[in-house]
Amino acid sequence: MASNEKVDKAYSHNGSDVESNNAFHSGETGQGLHRQLKNRHIAMISIGGVIGTGLFLGTANALRHGGPVGMLLGYITVGTVCWATMISLGEMVAYLPISGGHIKLAERFVNPAFSFTMGWNYWYNWTIILPAELSAAAVLINYWNQNTQLNYAWITICLLVVVAINLCGAGVYGEAEFIFASIKVLTITGLIILGIVIDLGGGPNHDRLGFRYWKNPGPFVQYDGIAGNTGKFLGWWAVITQAAFSFIGTEIVAIAAGEAKNPRRNLPKAIKRVYVRILLFYIGGTFVIGLLVPSNDPQLDLGTGTAASSPFVIAIQNAGIKGLPSLINACLLTSAWSAASSDLYTSSRALYGLALSHNAPQFLLRTTRRGLPYICLLVCASFSLLAFMGVSSGAGTVFNWFSNMTSIAGLLTWFGINLTYIRFHKGLKAQGFDRRKLPYIGPLQPYASWYALFMTVLFCVFSGFDVFLKGEWDTATFVTTYLPLALFPVLYVGAKMYYRQPIIKPQDMDFISNIAEIEAEDYDEPPPKNKLEAFWQWLTQDVFVFRS
């Protein structure tokens, strides 16, 4: 088939597309997932994936280890990697918004063994994070109620709500995530504005801070007391490690692609605006935090897991403002609740994607008439019971080991996405496809994906650097940091031996299947029905997402 014929075949649908061995949504039950996520759902799911406890609480350790400038540079560095990963992912899922997201894309453009490895790594990541978020919600409630014996009850209540939301289907999940993400967006935006006011002397104490803390105690921190540029560099690298784990989750929009309405139009909108969210929320937030709190403030090392550890709360209390810490803790609680709901949704769809690729038992493909993969959902929800391990000290230690391993698993997902895109790009070129006709074209490609691929490997290899410092060795930290990194190639080699299929050649990659079904669902978005919808459209697209 000539190149121009391939292009015409891929970008038009006339009902005679090549049939796919794996149906677009149907799996083997004839039901499959249904497209229920609206434009505003996708926009806020993407935003909500960026904003989390990493920004509200994790920045405390980042400031303590790196100083205001070290923290800012660390988040900027990771932000560029996140952006490069998202534009790579965006180009693929905007063209092929199929169930299973990047797990199925890896099967098409690399080989089944890599899809197997990415899928189970991704499923483990989000399945284990789910009980961790439920435990975090219970800790946040302890800010008001110090009776930790009630943590079992708090976890149970949060778990029931999370499972109920997901059992109601993707549409209800989208609405809940829209509300939760809106609260997070309004919270961080309000905190950034309030931080600027406090820095300029607008607080009750009228103390104008300016860049005071950039001068004393200084822009950088000497990590672990190591003198000179080496200590400053290690402080910056410690921030990078923290920031990388904070950004994990932005790729959730790919898993949601299989249930997104009008995906060819809505997914590019969400992906193209990722850099604005990174700039506005993380870079803007860390810049303001560095102005408000000195890096040697002892409150940064409280480790309570509640609002008391947040740099924003520390700055508010130092400025003499009362009442807001409880409000912020309530917002943090909704953030943990939102994250748990999102974790269950993502893990269940990842498991569905594995089954769709024949990398998991086929009974997992069963869905309800409304397109809910209820078997996958119930299997993943059962793992949330691990949250109760976190309540007891002995079992809690073991549970923390499992949850710590999810950090590296998340970075390995980014590695897999970028490798898949590099293969995708080679396939387009080999088969004569015109990238200019794609629904979304990532800039600086394929160089951006190569950059992100290299940096994610670097992050993984040196993420546990602190255990190699003199007197800092910890066996548990070493194992939980590097075990997932070692298991990834082991899983791939094992799957490669089982499937006995080579890496797919660029000229043999499938860019045709599913195109007719996808383009048939492309339509113009209707205007807002009322003033409330018009307000939220303005808020999520024009203010916080900006038009591209």
Side-chain angles (χ1 to χ4, degrees):
M1 184 182 290
S3 296
N4 61 338
E5 290 176 338
K6 287 185 179 181
V7 174
D8 292 339
K9 182 72 173 179
Y11 293 102
S12 64
H13 77 275
N14 54 16
S16 59
D17 265 34
V18 176
E19 292 184 1
S20 172
N21 292 329
N22 295 301
F24 177 42
H25 285 304
S26 63
E28 296 193 358
T29 64
Q31 298 293 336
L33 306 183
H34 295 178
R35 296 196 181 276
Q36 302 177 44
L37 297 175
K38 302 176 182 177
N39 179 24
R40 58 190 178 89
H41 296 156
I42 294 296
M44 287 311 243
I45 286 172
S46 187
I47 292 175
V50 178
I51 308 171
T53 53
L55 179 56
F56 292 116
L57 299 177
T59 44
N61 277 332
L63 179 59
R64 187 166 60 90
H65 290 147
V69 175
M71 176 177 65
L72 182 61
L73 293 177
Y75 274 85
I76 290 175
T77 303
V78 178
T80 61
V81 177
C82 178
W83 171 78
T85 301
M86 287 303 292
I87 62 171
S88 301
L89 179 63
E91 188 169 319
M92 293 188 293
V93 298
Y95 177 64
L96 284 170
I98 56 178
S99 300
H102 46 277
I103 300 171
K104 284 291 292 179
L105 294 173
E107 182 186 32
R108 281 198 182 198
F109 304 121
V110 186
N111 64 6
F114 195 68
S115 175
F116 173 91
T117 307
M118 275 191 67
W120 284 110
N121 173 78
Y122 197 66
W123 175 81
Y124 170 83
N125 182 26
W126 293 106
T127 300
I128 299 300
I129 286 181
L130 169 59
E133 292 290 356
L134 293 172
S135 297
V139 173
L140 287 166
I141 295 174
N142 292 155
Y143 180 80
W144 299 296
N145 190 323
Q146 303 298 323
N147 185 4
T148 57
Q149 296 298 318
L150 293 175
N151 281 359
Y152 290 102
W154 305 139
I155 290 174
T156 302
I157 293 171
C158 292
L159 174 58
L160 290 175
V161 173
V162 166
V163 173
I165 289 172
N166 278 269
L167 281 176
C168 290
V172 173
Y173 161 75
E175 290 293 346
E177 191 62 21
F178 178 79
I179 296 170
F180 285 140
S182 299
I183 293 173
K184 289 194 282 188
V185 165
L186 294 173
T187 300
I188 189 59
T189 304
L191 288 174
I192 290 174
I193 294 172
L194 178 61
I196 294 172
V197 171
I198 291 174
D199 183 69
L200 296 177
N205 58 7
H206 301 294
D207 182 13
R208 190 180 188 280
L209 300 174
F211 288 85
R212 179 188 304 172
Y213 301 131
W214 286 40
K215 300 175 182 178
N216 182 26
F220 294 93
V221 170
Q222 305 297 144
Y223 187 81
D224 201 35
I226 300 173
N229 290 331
T230 302
K232 294 177 182 178
F233 173 81
L234 291 177
W236 168 73
W237 190 259
V239 172
I240 282 184
T241 303
Q242 166 68 43
F245 303 151
S246 299
F247 279 104
I248 297 299
T250 52
E251 75 287 340
I252 289 176
V253 68
I255 288 293
E259 294 175 277
K261 290 184 176 181
N262 204 10
R264 279 287 178 88
R265 294 175 183 259
N266 292 335
L267 291 173
K269 291 178 184 178
I271 299 296
K272 283 193 292 185
R273 297 157 183 168
V274 156
Y275 71 93
V276 178
R277 301 164 206 148
I278 294 172
L279 181 67
L280 178 62
F281 298 127
Y282 268 101
I283 309 305
T286 52
F287 174 75
V288 170
I289 287 170
L291 297 176
L292 298 176
V293 183
S295 58
N296 58 359
D297 192 313
Q299 297 177 87
L300 293 172
D301 196 24
L302 287 178
T304 60
T306 67
S309 302
S310 172
F312 286 111
V313 170
I314 294 171
I316 289 169
Q317 291 175 334
N318 291 343
I321 302 175
K322 299 179 180 180
L324 278 180
S326 286
L327 178 61
I328 295 173
N329 196 70
C331 293
L332 288 176
L333 181 58
T334 64
S335 179
W337 219 327
S338 165
S341 179
S342 183
D343 296 342
L344 181 54
Y345 172 82
T346 307
S347 60
S348 63
R349 271 45 175 195
L351 189 58
Y352 184 85
L354 280 164
L356 206 59
S357 299
H358 298 279
N359 291 324
Q362 296 301 286
F363 72 86
L364 294 170
L365 289 173
R366 294 176 184 172
T367 61
T368 65
R369 286 178 294 179
R370 295 182 293 109
L372 177 71
Y374 65 97
I375 300 294
C376 291
L377 191 64
L378 293 175
V379 169
C380 295
S382 66
F383 284 87
S384 62
L385 299 176
L386 291 172
F388 295 104
M389 290 177 62
V391 179
S392 60
S393 57
T397 301
V398 177
F399 172 63
N400 286 335
W401 291 345
F402 283 109
S403 60
N404 288 342
M405 287 193 286
T406 62
S407 301
I408 294 296
L411 287 172
L412 289 172
T413 294
W414 284 11
F415 165 81
I417 288 170
N418 285 289
L419 182 59
T420 302
Y421 175 80
I422 291 169
R423 300 285 304 158
F424 172 83
H425 189 274
K426 285 184 178 180
L428 289 175
K429 188 175 181 180
Q431 297 189 29
F433 280 85
D434 187 356
R435 284 184 68 235
R436 292 174 298 180
K437 292 185 178 181
L438 294 176
Y440 169 67
I441 307 170
L444 303 178
Q445 293 291 15
Y447 310 106
S449 56
W450 276 109
Y451 162 74
L453 184 77
F454 172 76
M455 292 301 290
T456 50
V457 172
L458 205 63
F459 292 163
C460 288
V461 171
F462 294 103
S463 61
F465 78 93
D466 51 327
V467 300
F468 298 106
L469 299 178
K470 187 176 180 180
E472 297 294 331
W473 176 260
D474 183 77
T475 303
T477 301
F478 174 80
V479 171
T480 56
T481 299
Y482 291 108
L483 183 60
L485 189 59
L487 286 177
F488 196 85
V490 170
L491 282 174
Y492 177 74
V493 172
K496 189 84 160 51
M497 294 174 64
Y498 175 78
Y499 286 108
R500 298 183 180 277
Q501 293 187 26
I503 294 177
I504 300 171
K505 296 178 181 179
Q507 60 268 28
D508 296 331
M509 293 177 184
D510 179 12
F511 290 95
I512 306 299
S513 300
N514 307 135
I515 295 300
E517 297 96 323
I518 294 167
E519 291 193 342
E521 296 173 343
D522 188 15
Y523 60 88
D524 293 328
E525 292 286 344
K529 297 179 181 179
N530 49 54
K531 291 183 179 180
L532 181 61
E533 285 191 9
F535 169 75
W536 281 116
Q537 185 181 69
W538 168 79
L539 186 68
T540 58
Q541 295 185 21
D542 296 338
V543 177
F544 295 121
V545 191
F546 299 152
R547 292 201 177 275
S548 303

